[in-house]
DNA sequence: TACAGTTGTCTAGATCAATAGACATTTGAG
DNA sequence: CTCAAATGTCTATTGATCTAGACAACTGTA
């Protein structure tokens, strides 16, 4: 069986698919940037060249580049070209001992987690099953958004059994750390029991919280942390901006 | 800080974003189906109701439903309504001992892996770095597509150091199993050393191989397997159809 | 059979996306 | 300075998407 060669001179974009050509092209250029395809020059090829490669009008390419400039990924300078401002995805480690701030430390200078809101609510089926409690039992919800160097990276909803961690919200607000808030309840260590990962289009709330443009992708990690006896202590759904993050699984 | 309530009567879709309304709506309905929001009735709400919820014309909703019907997710019956045909995502386990067929066994009746092509090529920087060989050293590439119950689930490109596994392609064609092909080279056990996960829009080749519609999402897992001495034996990039799969991390 | 509720089809017009071409403006090199 | 190469701006036109309304066809129930 012969090897299929990717000779594709013309980079394919498809029409009449509900996704505008300029957006498909923006996605392709974003990918090429993060792959390092343009590292040699440090800039994107000229608009006329890109238009030729994709088989579209130059104006269509300009729409794509305008969208990328809006994201802060490139910056166009008249007379010179379109320069790459930023390229790497931040790598987020998932391991037995996953703590948010650690592991990102070397990649981002400034990490911030902001509490969006908190509340108590009866556990629905999904949450109750994960935490091993009865549906309707009270859980505490924390909603947070995390940023690196000023860019939002993830939004998260976390659930804690209220009977065991009654002051979770207050302690988190005081200490700005889940690990420390656990410690304030007498829990010194916990480990990741399971993680499920799904990718999908961002919904309207995620678009606005993560400052994404419609059609953008989120990586959703549904994770369960347990104490050393195996009893669940936290269930959370974290949605990462997929174009800014990759997940690294450490087994 | 008060809890933010999601009262959203009107489900928000955004205009002038390069993603057609019908496609945004299709994505939202697909998500609602996989969340089980419509399980009680087993069918999608009437077109007029959906049009009201999203604040669009009924024709726009019809375009969205037509796209979902094309995917085989729903089936419209005149006079009755639009029924849900399929909803679950297949869960793919990632652990120290990840083998493709296992773990999917209970979820899918019929698993097939088809060899698309193979070849020998000099390792590029990415592959050489992963496999711990010199750039330019020969690697064997296997390109496969895997299906469950007739639906394509993933496409994969795998790379093996040719000096150690010279007959990888032939053995895989004969045995239809990477694990058995390794065994034929005298390697009885191997473990997952690392996995990185990225989500992005599918490119044209992935769209056709996975039978996806443009704008669809792939989950790409870049994984490295090593023998028990820690020496890399396989580097692969597997792209999963994100709307059909979720990844389960087992730590 | 009658009817309410639903999907299917058609027409017409408004708005958005993409093409095409022309020319202005800026930059860097010779 | 001059020029080539690149981005910026404008106009006009075509095709795709979305809205609007009307009515046909089918299903299940009363």
């Amino acid at each position: 069986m012969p090897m299929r060669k990717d000779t594709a001179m013309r980079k394919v974009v498809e029409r009449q698919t509900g996704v505008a050509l300029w957006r498909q092209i923006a996605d392709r250029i974003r990918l090429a940037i993060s792959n390092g395809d343009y590292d040699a020059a440090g800039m994107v090829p000229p608009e006329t060249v890109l238009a030729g490669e994709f088989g579209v009008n130059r104006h269509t390419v300009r729409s794509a580049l305008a969208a990328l400039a809006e994201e802060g990924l490139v910056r166009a300078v008249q007379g010179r070209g379109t320069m790459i401002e930023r390229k790497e995805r931040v790598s987020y480690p998932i391991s037995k001992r996953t703590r948010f701030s650690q592991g990102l430390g070397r990649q981002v200078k400034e990490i911030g987690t902001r509490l969006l809101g908190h509340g108590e609510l009866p556990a629905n089926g999904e949450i109750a099953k994960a935490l091993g409690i009865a549906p309707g039992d009270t859980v505490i919800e924390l909603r947070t958004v995390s940023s690196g160097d000023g860019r939002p990276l993830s939004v998260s909803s976390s659930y804690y059994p209220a009977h065991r961690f009654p002051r979770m919200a207050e302690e988190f607000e005081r200490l700005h750390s889940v690990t420390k808030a656990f410690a304030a309840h007498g829990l010194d260590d916990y480990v990741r029991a399971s993680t499920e990962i799904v990718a999908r289009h961002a919904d309207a709330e995620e678009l606005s919280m993560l400052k994404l443009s419609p059609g953008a992708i989120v990586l959703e990690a549904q994770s369960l942390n347990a104490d050393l006896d195996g009893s669940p202590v936290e269930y959370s759904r974290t949605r990462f901006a997929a174009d800014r993050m990759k997940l690294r699984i450490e087994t």
Side-chain angles (χ1 to χ4, degrees), chain A:
Chain A
M1 193 182 305
M3 186 69 195
R4 203 185 63 74
K5 278 286 174 201
D6 280 15
T7 46
M9 291 310 300
R10 155 99 36 130
K11 294 174 181 169
V12 183
V13 286
E14 308 197 8
R15 290 151 195 267
Q16 298 172 9
T17 60
V19 182
L21 292 180
W22 63 265
R23 180 155 285 281
Q24 296 184 52
I25 291 169
D27 291 337
R28 297 281 298 267
I29 296 175
R30 191 191 298 104
L31 182 61
I33 290 174
S34 78
N35 282 348
D37 293 358
Y38 304 141
D39 282 7
M43 55 199 308
V44 168
E47 294 168 352
T48 48
V49 173
L50 289 170
E53 285 181 350
F54 289 109
V56 302
N57 191 275
R58 175 172 158 242
H59 293 295
T60 309
V61 170
R62 282 180 60 74
S63 299
L65 290 174
L68 295 178
E70 184 75 19
E71 293 178 27
L73 208 63
V74 300
R75 186 167 50 89
V77 177
Q78 189 172 148
R80 288 180 62 193
T82 302
M83 267 139 298
I84 295 169
E85 294 281 283
R86 186 158 38 72
K87 58 185 280 276
E88 294 278 8
R89 291 183 197 224
V90 178
S91 176
Y92 180 72
I94 294 182
S95 64
K96 262 215 151 0
R97 283 190 164 60
T98 293
R99 307 291 186 263
F100 190 83
S101 315
Q102 300 166 12
L104 267 62
R106 288 212 312 277
Q107 307 175 64
V108 220
K109 278 195 286 292
E110 184 199 341
I111 302 171
T113 298
R114 192 164 57 86
L115 187 62
L116 292 174
H118 62 82
E120 296 195 355
L121 67 165
N124 65 20
E126 175 195 358
I127 297 172
K129 189 176 165 198
L131 290 177
I133 60 180
D137 282 7
T138 303
V139 293
I140 293 177
E141 177 182 19
L142 294 188
R143 295 161 49 83
T144 56
V145 57
S146 296
S147 309
D149 296 338
R151 272 195 312 163
L153 297 176
S154 66
V155 288
S156 187
S157 294
S158 301
Y159 303 92
Y160 308 87
H163 67 93
R164 184 166 176 191
F165 304 105
R167 305 181 312 281
M168 201 64 204
E170 297 76 11
E171 299 290 0
F172 181 84
E173 261 184 297
R174 186 164 66 87
L175 302 165
H176 293 93
S177 157
V178 168
T179 305
K180 289 176 184 166
F182 274 142
H185 286 86
L187 175 67
D188 291 323
D189 197 10
Y190 60 99
V191 296
R192 180 66 60 99
S194 71
T195 307
E196 289 196 338
I197 295 173
V198 163
R200 54 177 172 77
H201 290 99
D203 67 24
E205 187 198 356
E206 289 154 357
L207 291 178
S208 85
M209 298 307 311
L210 295 172
K211 296 194 170 60
L212 295 169
S213 40
I217 302 172
V218 291
L219 268 167
E220 173 170 333
Q222 296 158 16
S223 57
L224 186 65
N225 280 307
D227 62 22
L228 300 188
D229 298 330
S231 183
V233 296
E234 177 193 62
Y235 173 64
S236 63
R237 299 193 316 125
T238 304
R239 285 90 79 200
F240 297 94
D243 61 344
R244 297 171 200 160
M245 302 285 290
K246 60 182 173 183
L247 307 181
R248 188 173 65 252
I249 315 301
E250 301 176 340
T251 51

